[in-house]
Amino acid sequence: MMLSGDEDEEKWLAEGIAGVQHNAFYMHRALDSNNLREALKYSAQMLSELRTSKLSPHKYYELYMRAFDELRKLEMFFKDESRHGVSIIDLYELVQHAGNILPRLYLLCTVGSVYIKSKEAPAKEVLKDLVEMCRGVQHPIRGLFLRSYLAQVSRDKLPDIGSEYERDAETVMDAVEFVLQNFTEMNKLWVRMQHQGPGRVREKREKERNELRDLVGKNLHVLSQIEGVDLEMYKENVLPRVLEQVVNCKDELAQYYLMDCIIQVFPDEYHLQTLETLLGACPQLQPTVDIKTVLSRLMDRLSNYAVSSADVLPEFLQVEAFAKLSNAIGKVIDAQVDMPIVGAISLYVSLLTFTLRVHPDRLDYVDQVLGACVKKLSSAPKLEDSRATKQVVALLSAPLDKYNDILTALTLSNYPRVMDHLDDGTNKVMAMVIIQSIMKNSTCISTAEKVEVLFELIKGLIKDLDGAAQDELDEEDFKEEQNSVARLIHMLYNDDSEEMLKIICTVRKHIMTGGPKRLLFTVPPLVFSALRLVRQLQNQDGDVAGEEEPATPKKIFQLLNQTIETLLYVPSPEMALRLYLQCAEAANDCDLEPVAYEFFTQAFMLYEEEIADSKAQVTAIHLIIGTLQRISVFGIENRDTLTHKATGYSARLLKKPDQCRAVYACSHLFWVDDQDGIKDGERVLLCLKRALRIANAAQQMANVARGSSGPVVLFVEILNKYLYFFEKGNTQITASAIQSLIELITSEMQSESTTLDPADNAFFASTKRYIEFQKKKGGAMGEKYDPINV
Amino acid sequence: MNYLIGAFKPACNISITFADGKNRKQVILKLMWLCLRTSIFACCMKSVKVLILICNVHSADGDECVAICVYTKVPLKKENGQTIMVPLFQSQENISGKISIEPVLGKKVEHNGVKIELLGQIEMYFDRGNFYDFTSLVRELDVPGEIYERKTYPFEFSTVEMPYETYNGVNVRLRYVLKVTVSRGYGGSVVEYQDFVVRNYTPPPSINNSIKMEVGIEDCLHIEFEYNKSKYHLKDVIIGKIYFLLVRIKIKNMDLEIRRRESTGSGANTHVETETLAKFELMDGAPVRGESIPIRLFLSPYELTPTHRNINNKFSVKYYLNLVLVDEEDRRYFKQQEITIYRLQENS
């Protein structure tokens, strides 16, 4: 049906055009023969084609343009009195004899334009008459086009300042009055279109109206082009009149378009100076008007204007642009109760953008905007609308982007309050944005207070929010989030140890609330951050010692102890163990034997009670051995206890090769290659021998279990340990012992039952080569190696 | 054959000329000069086809006199549909001229007397052939006798009272005619008619109120209209406006019509004939409440006559402005108002 409707319309248009052309042909003939009577007759008939009601605005425009072109020729004819012999005044009457109003008024406008040009009557009078007579056409589309024709022909004939039609008696006001009146009437027709016509679908009508809007808007454009419209007149006359019309028409489409039009066609400084009036109209508009777009365009324009030149800034201050805008937005939101929350928020976003651009120094403004936003948000339930949350994110991101500095945002008291209104997901997104901003700008947050605020902001990442359903979080996202938090912790830093301690405490307080899943990520950075402080304190040791010092390593270690303990509930004993060892080592550096001992105790307890997995045990024991080896602070007794424990655990590992390796590693516990390190050659040898025994046992076990002996690599490894201590001057390690070990290995390797691993072979070969090399090198070492035969 | 022709042809030719031919040139020149100073000429030129300007002059000098005596020839529609140009007079004018009678083919004409009558007649078309003479003046021009050759008789009717204007309506006609009768016994009288037109001018009325009225259909349509006057002259312009107080119907357009109502006869025999002389579109489309639509209607393009009220108890011609609103279902809503039309002296 739709299609046939369109086809019909095509047909009607074609008929209309044919009618115009037909009559235009006769009109031309009349014009050529200077026959006024015929010219009037045929031009009226031609214009009668415009009386159709069948065409949509689009098609009607096409027809109108045809007639328009023809009327130009007629106008030329009218202008030349010698051709028709009738004075312009008589002509003005003559065309009014036409019986049909539409052709009559088109002709009247055409003659009227000639009349003004002739200057036989004041332009003002003629214009007034024309605009008044046009009232006769009340049909929206026909009326709009007729008045648009009037606007078109009168455009260059307005009694504007400097125009040839300006007379003493005629002020610019007449020109303005004329345009305003035409505008008002056109707008009324345009609005009326919505309520008239056949019961066509609303959307179609709206579409048609949209096609016509520029006809109406053109009047505003003309107004803005009138030289004589200065600020004074704009303020006193033009704007109030236009706004009155806009408000009174009570039409959504018109209000939106016209407001936008006003903003676009008049100069920036006018807007700035009439801000109050312009904004005053906003709350009076229909609730469905997309006022946020209007206002944001206004603010865009104004902020561009502000940025364009530094000279205009004082004007902004003088007119209190911000306060007015802010006020207006508040009023609009209050007035439009049905406005979706997203609309309100995006208004605030625009205002914020404006503030940031125009008054970057006024943080209080920013805070004010956020405060208003909080107020709005708190009146509604938590945000569900994804578009709204998007806007809130934009709102919150704007200051970050502008200042490139989270510190600024932290001073905004309303910032966290806005975040409170976000749903958890968005809250996290926002928190990530904040962290990324910090990372990107390497912002160092240096006071506990700010840290407190910051953590309040990103609490979505720090802990599970109340009532939040434990949705199945994407594991990867979660990891990334928590890694970000971990990175963030390193950005919290102050050189002043006292403050730093406070920071650490604050951080600790927050991350402790995070639950087991997060602790795994957040505790390590905290521990290392604390350890850094410890080291720092240690460096400045001396000058502050003895005083009532709040930040002492001891205190920190206590804190750390408690902190690491929490990991047990995660549970993540491996991580805890590592951290204990780290702390122990740090305590060692601080010469705090009891502390270090305590940490070791904790580590061992963990090992005993929590670490059951054999692989984890192997890793743990090696870590323990390694750490213990480096620690020098222990007295003999403590050390003995710990080394004893360590060797004991080593020997009790599950797998023989693991036992063997742990045991030979323990040998290092007794031989610290320092000046005053412990050097107990005997116990080293004991360890190594024990390792050999275990290796042997492993070999045999393999024989029994699989029928082939195990790899010889354990022996080669032990050989290397022998060589190490041999070189270090352990007298318990003799050349002969080494010799016999080599032989043992050689024979093992030749044994049939041995499965040969090329890597083992190569290892052994290179060990032997090393011995050869040492021998050949000569010197003390060469002599020492001499007895060994490979 | 000649005999036959002679039998049916009148025995003589009668021509009637108005007594101004000799002055014509002079008068026209004077008139032209006069018109340069006044607007008469322009007005005349514009309104009707002025072909001849003839003056009936008593004293040949003086602008005033010339001006008063100017008459025009105006078109007059005859019964047979032809339009002829006839002289124009007004009441109280002298109507004079001469009659010349010329026997056909040199024969003598015997007659029982020659007379000229000035008749004002009202003719009802439904009562065809029955004239009612409301004015009848007679001048005897000759006593019975014989005419041998062309003979000329001057005649004059002085300050003739001609209160009614010439009128050509649908059912009635009012005409003025000069009738020359050459009375003859057996051969039948020879009669010649010469029509002329009478127009009477009225000074502008001293009281001329506007027409203002509020009309409507309850809860449907309320309008208020105003015409600036109630009495208009023939070249006048009607100015006014229509103000919509309430609109609940879908109006398509609004026209202003000028209607002429001619009533003839009296009592039970009254015939009323209404014609729409002008249909002038005032508004296109549907207005809303509060809209006010201007009216500006020039009367000059239309063929109007003055209002005639009860002319000799025979007929009346009245004019009405009819405001018509048409809705989308083509229903018509109208309000008719009588206006008076008068003829204004054009140089006044």
Side-chain angles (χ1 to χ4, degrees), chain A residues 392-418:
Chain A
V392 178
V393 171
L395 182 79
L396 292 171
S397 306
L400 296 183
D401 291 346
K402 173 69 187 178
Y403 295 112
N404 273 333
D405 182 2
I406 187 70
L407 295 178
T408 319
L410 295 182
T411 57
L412 301 169
S413 63
N414 285 310
Y415 201 93
R417 294 174 58 200
V418 175

Side-chain angles (χ1 to χ4, degrees), chain A residues 486 489 511-512 518-529 560 563-567 570 575-576 579:
Chain A
I489 292 174
I511 65 170
M512 282 306 137
R518 290 188 181 79
L519 284 176
L520 192 59
F521 292 93
T522 50
V523 169
L526 177 64
V527 169
F528 282 101
S529 182
L560 284 175
T563 311
I564 298 169
E565 220 170 337
T566 56
L567 282 181
V570 172
M575 178 60 78
L579 295 175

Side-chain angles (χ1 to χ4, degrees), chain A residues 480-661:
Chain A
E480 201 187 313
E481 283 166 19
Q482 295 307 316
N483 280 331
S484 297
V485 176
R487 289 172 70 194
L488 174 68
I489 292 174
H490 288 294
M491 302 306 292
L492 317 174
Y493 180 72
N494 195 325
D495 278 333
D496 178 39
S497 50
E498 192 178 334
E499 191 61 38
M500 187 61 201
L501 183 61
K502 275 194 201 154
I503 293 177
I504 288 169
C505 288
T506 314
V507 174
R508 182 172 176 274
K509 185 180 86 195
H510 283 281
I511 65 170
M512 282 306 137
T513 59
K517 278 176 95 178
R518 290 188 181 79
L519 284 176
L520 192 59
F521 292 93
T522 50
V523 169
L526 177 64
V527 169
F528 282 101
S529 182
L531 290 180
R532 181 163 66 169
L533 175 62
V534 169
R535 297 234 151 77
Q536 188 189 328
L537 284 169
Q538 186 197 346
N539 287 342
Q540 53 187 238
D541 215 13
D543 27 303
V544 282
E547 279 174 50
E548 192 64 19
E549 179 66 21
T552 61
K554 235 183 207 157
K555 254 190 181 163
I556 297 168
F557 281 125
Q558 281 166 15
L559 196 70
L560 284 175
N561 207 339
Q562 293 160 14
T563 311
I564 298 169
E565 220 170 337
T566 56
L567 282 181
L568 298 181
Y569 309 110
V570 172
S572 179
E574 289 95 338
M575 178 60 78
L577 184 110
R578 280 161 194 262
L579 295 175
Y580 278 137
L581 293 177
Q582 283 288 343
C583 292
E585 207 173 337
N588 170 55
D589 295 344
C590 296
D591 247 352
L592 294 168
E593 186 184 352
V595 177
Y597 190 80
E598 172 62 22
F599 280 122
F600 259 100
T601 316
Q602 297 280 8
F604 277 123
M605 274 164 63
L606 273 182
Y607 182 82
E608 280 171 15
E609 291 164 14
E610 306 287 342
I611 301 178
D613 178 57
S614 58
K615 258 191 190 148
Q617 281 183 342
V618 174
T619 318
I621 198 73
H622 278 282
L623 283 168
I624 292 172
I625 294 166
T627 314
L628 190 53
Q629 196 264 345
R630 280 196 297 278
I631 287 184
S632 54
V633 72
F634 290 135
I636 293 168
E637 203 175 315
N638 279 345
R639 194 178 172 83
D640 270 357
T641 318
L642 294 174
T643 48
H644 185 72
K645 272 273 180 203
T647 41
Y649 290 148
S650 303
R652 277 198 295 281
L653 286 171
L654 179 66
K655 280 155 72 183
K656 289 290 173 188
D658 291 340
Q659 277 181 17
C660 173
R661 285 181 176 122

Side-chain angles (χ1 to χ4, degrees), chain A residues 51 90 92-93 96-102 104 108 129 132-139 142 185 188 192 196-197, chain B residues 46 250 252-253 255 279-288 290-298 300-302 328:
Chain A
R51 298 173 70 208
D90 291 337
Y92 195 71
E93 181 191 322
Q96 294 186 64
H97 294 174
N100 281 319
I101 186 156
L102 199 70
R104 176 165 79 233
L108 191 66
D129 191 51
E132 197 56 40
M133 291 312 281
C134 281
R135 280 175 186 276
V137 179
Q138 293 286 322
H139 183 276
R142 293 196 283 273
E185 293 299 325
K188 284 201 298 211
R192 202 183 300 165
Q196 283 186 350
Chain B
K46 216 167 57 180
K250 288 182 174 172
K252 200 163 67 178
N253 63 337
D255 293 338
K279 189 164 179 267
F280 188 74
E281 194 181 16
L282 290 180
M283 185 183 74
D284 170 25
V288 293
E291 209 65 69
S292 121
I293 308 297
I295 305 172
R296 184 187 293 153
L297 172 58
F298 292 93
S300 57
Y302 306 105
E328 284 186 344

Side-chain angles (χ1 to χ4, degrees), chain A residues 243-304:
Chain A
L243 284 179
E244 186 193 352
Q245 176 57 31
V246 172
V247 169
N248 289 343
C249 78
K250 293 198 175 18
D251 177 79
E252 177 190 348
L253 191 64
Q255 291 185 334
Y256 172 70
Y257 172 70
L258 293 175
M259 286 303 278
D260 196 39
C261 213
I262 295 172
I263 291 167
Q264 301 305 329
V265 299
F266 291 107
D268 298 316
E269 67 252 46
Y270 285 17
H271 292 318
L272 196 56
Q273 296 300 330
T274 56
L275 211 46
E276 205 155 3
T277 322
L278 187 59
L279 293 173
C282 292
Q284 302 174 54
L285 301 182
Q286 295 301 99
T288 42
V289 173
D290 181 12
I291 198 153
K292 63 175 195 301
T293 313
V294 171
L295 282 177
S296 38
R297 293 219 178 132
L298 174 64
M299 288 186 273
D300 273 358
R301 269 203 76 155
L302 288 178
S303 52
N304 281 335

